[in-house]
Amino acid sequence: MYVAVKGGERAIENAHAWLAEARRGDTRVPELDVAQIREQMALAVNRVMAEGSLYDPDLAALAIKQARGDLIEAVFLIRAYRTTLPRFGASKPVETADMRCDRRISATFKDAPGGQVLGATFDYTHRLLDFKLAADGEVPPAAMAPAQAGSVPHITEFLNRDGLIQTEAPSCETPPDLTREPLEFPANRALRLQALARGDEGFILGLAYSTQRGYARNHAFVGELRIGRVPVEMEIPELGFSIEIGEIELTECETVNQFAGSKTAPAQFTRGYGLVFGQTERKAIAMALVDRALRWRELGEDNLGAAAQDEEFVLSHCDNIQATGFLEHIKLPHYVDFQSELELVRRLRAEAEAVAKEAAE
Amino acid sequence: MDQAVMTGGFADPPIQSPQAFRAAMTAMARPGDILAVTGAQAPAPVSVAASVLLLVLCDPGTPVWLATSHDSADLRRWIAFHTGASVVAARGEAVFALGTWDSLLSLADYRIGTPDYPDRSATLIVEMPLLRAEGAVLQGPGIKESAQLSVPEVAPLRVNRALFPLGLDFFFTCGSDLAAVPRSTVVTDPAEVV
Amino acid sequence: MTEYTFAYLDEQTKRMIRRAILKALAVPGYQVPFASREMPMPYGWGTGGVQVSAACLVPEDRLKVIDQGADDTTNAVSIRRFFEKTAGVATTTRTAEATLIQTRHRIPEAPLTRDQILVYQVPIPEPLRFLEPRETETRKMHSLEEYGLVHVKLYEDIARHGQIATSYAYPVKVEGRYVMDPSPIPKFDNPKLESAAIQLFGAGREQRIYALPPYCQVVSLDFEDHPFEASKADHICDLCGSATSYLDEVIVDDAGGRMFVCSDTDYCETRRAAGHRGRLAATEEEHFA
């Protein structure tokens, strides 16, 4: 009874022990190691890095193992770890035109300088369960091609050369950082992009899909989608020049969207942009569509009241760590508040009954 | 870098800064209460209490303005070395300002916050020759009935109170003692109190 | 956990939180935005309160953590352990012995003293949020002191139910200026918001800190013909016999039998230790034995 409703230290300890056992599963089955997850669950690792805002495949793989494959839980582990890391400085902006692309496609042109490279994609696979994988995952080596030489220009730049697509104003301003400053509205585009890049893939996907179905439709074409590795450079003040501190894999998506124009300004295509850690193309494309929808004010479009146009709605709800925490907190005891509601409802009912009785007499 | 700049910080920041903050917070929560702090010493003429406040509250995100009474190359380097805060030329850019009362005036030049964000206002650290629980009468949040504090002048603090919820917040420091008068405090000349 | 600093947060984060706390004390009831950090417990589970406590704790503190008024509810246990591990501070369940109390949903029954700090965990700090979901709008309403909407909501309650139908998180006006959410405490606790202790409110996910300095004027919103009433269950505690404490209703058997017990476990235990007995005190002791 009364005592039994209380959790207590032992209950927590026992729950933790049970969780550890459940994570391991049947001990007759060999244990997964972190390297196996990193290599063979790479897309899960990429999602955890992207939404965890920390580029470290080994840590992301460890988080997935610890979280029993619950990716939002893994993202949470990474975020909580990230917050304890000291910040040494900021890198120079990465140059995605210098990306060594493993994949690069354009839906707007049949071909382009640099060529279309399909890369390792599910796109044209037939989604048939491969029962052979259940027994044996060994594969013959894939065909090799010589690595691309030099930088691969962005396809949207070809359009820009003719003035057919709107030019983004360059800026040397330090972008805001929502991990260091409280979120404030209105948010500029850099802040919105940061929030979207960290945002939940499912949430951003749903919003992007809603724009395609008419909730602030903006007629997106994938101008270019590229996946590959870029060097990360940092200025070292003591040295007076920048050095390369590593390399990261990125997915970048530029969409070419519905044109804007007026009597005074000639018609021009507009852009949406997505950039995400790792091979995460569903997320990058969705991000570009939502980015474009959020730009309605700047591009002189109407606010149609669509969810994807509403920056407060999108930015306040896209973070899955905030969302899952608040959602799941309703599991915590609320009996004090419930008790006060209970008393109130009883009193309201008693008063209503008294009034009804009086009326009957 | 010379000795005066390198020394004078907390010997054990994770332990000393909470203790110092607790004193600063108690002071801000209970206007007029005088609390003692220890552990820091910026180059002269900065008091121990003001040095402690600089260490506990300032960092690269908080521009500091130094009044002529306190501005010196040594102090600028001490602040840069121990806190990373930048020393700014204009009072209006400062999140914290340090000096004697006269050299901090006029109060009209500091940030008082905006109606949307009244918290975006400056905090002034006022170095005092003397700090005692006597003189001006303080009333308002944090004070049971009334308190007294030897503030340097009443009129500017009343003007500041009239701006509420905007306005400046003050720490008064003397030796190792500190007290605070936030914008919410009503300050009255003892002669006016019946 | 030697790899983490005292009270978990790094010095720069603590400085940022501390500056927000000072401004919060200077403008009572106003919600100061702060760059809340991701903590090792989920948002919604007290990250705001934990960050505020971490920024305030000193090694000499004696910490008490309660959830629903009880020290032994699971989340209170978990947060207390977090600070035992990361700050090494002493902990207690005795309200009178605590120097810093972190709470969720209750204010202790025993009046707090000037040497104590009460830190509240806050889920939704904005008292106007359920009337106006947009932050840009509610911020404007606070700046213009435009609180008509809250009164309209309370008045609609009266029109529909004959009385104000808000039983917890009951809005208050602080020092005649800001309307404030006291966190989801039952309205029974509202009068205790005027206290000798320093009260700090932390909302991690919503990135807000606000405060009530000691002896701050805190008025629960009401109407002349429908004055505020700090109500509770019309019973006395079955364990300690208190007629004035907030009670939990506990269902004790399948036949719908129930007992009422103090939600503040330390208050109840202190009274029983002093010899006070309620209706079922004897059976409860047998149960413990």
Side-chain angles (χ1 to χ4, degrees), chain A residues 114-334:
Chain A
Q116 305 251 21
V117 180
L118 278 187
T121 175
F122 293 121
D123 281 356
Y124 305 103
T125 62
H126 293 151
R127 269 59 166 206
L128 304 167
L129 267 181
D130 181 357
F131 293 102
K132 208 157 68 65
L133 266 184
D136 173 17
E138 291 308 312
V139 287
M144 300 275 280
Q148 117 224 345
S151 68
V152 184
H154 283 111
I155 283 167
T156 48
E157 288 315 304
F158 299 119
L159 287 171
N160 197 17
R161 219 171 284 165
D162 303 327
L164 290 173
I165 193 162
Q166 149 226 24
T167 308
E168 301 297 343
S171 165
C172 292
E173 226 177 282
T174 305
D177 180 351
L178 61 81
T179 69
R180 310 300 279 192
E181 297 295 327
L183 191 57
E184 188 185 324
F185 299 109
N188 69 16
R189 191 174 176 213
L191 190 64
R192 295 196 304 248
L193 289 170
Q194 183 191 17
L196 294 176
R198 287 160 52 94
D200 181 71
E201 179 174 313
F203 183 82
I204 310 287
L205 169 66
L207 281 174
Y209 177 48
S210 74
T211 69
Q212 291 184 291
R213 288 196 64 262
Y215 290 82
R217 180 162 182 237
N218 52 46
H219 309 265
F221 300 101
V222 171
E224 183 175 350
L225 175 76
R226 54 169 67 193
I227 301 175
R229 309 190 78 87
V230 294
V232 178
E233 289 181 26
M234 211 172 140
E235 299 267 11
I236 308 295
E238 288 81 3
L239 299 179
F241 53 87
S242 64
I243 58 163
E244 191 178 319
I245 55 169
E247 197 180 60
I248 58 173
E249 186 184 34
L250 292 174
T251 301
E252 183 185 50
C253 177
E254 282 195 285
T255 54
V256 177
N257 295 67
Q258 146 181 307
F259 54 87
S262 63
K263 283 192 182 118
T264 49
Q268 236 183 359
F269 290 108
T270 58
R271 311 177 196 232
Y273 188 71
L275 184 72
V276 190
F277 279 160
Q279 183 177 345
T280 41
E281 65 184 65
R282 181 186 302 119
K283 169 75 175 282
I285 299 168
M287 176 176 166
L289 264 61
V290 177
D291 168 51
R292 178 60 186 77
L294 288 170
R295 300 181 72 187
W296 63 271
R297 200 189 304 264
E298 156 202 358
L299 297 171
E301 294 168 340
D302 291 331
N303 179 2
L304 304 167
Q309 286 181 305
D310 186 332
E311 108 182 347
E312 251 199 82
F313 179 83
V314 175
L315 267 56
S316 300
H317 302 109
C318 66
D319 189 287
N320 53 21
I321 301 309
Q322 292 177 353
T324 200
F326 199 53
L327 180 97
E328 296 196 44
H329 108 282
I330 61 175
K331 292 182 287 193
L332 290 178
H334 282 76

Side-chain angles (χ1 to χ4, degrees), chain A residues 50-72:
Chain A
E51 293 169 28
S53 291
L54 184 70
Y55 195 92
D56 189 321
D58 288 299
L59 286 182
L62 172 62
I64 291 168
K65 177 173 175 172
Q66 188 179 333
R68 308 177 66 196
D70 178 338
L71 295 189
I72 291 183

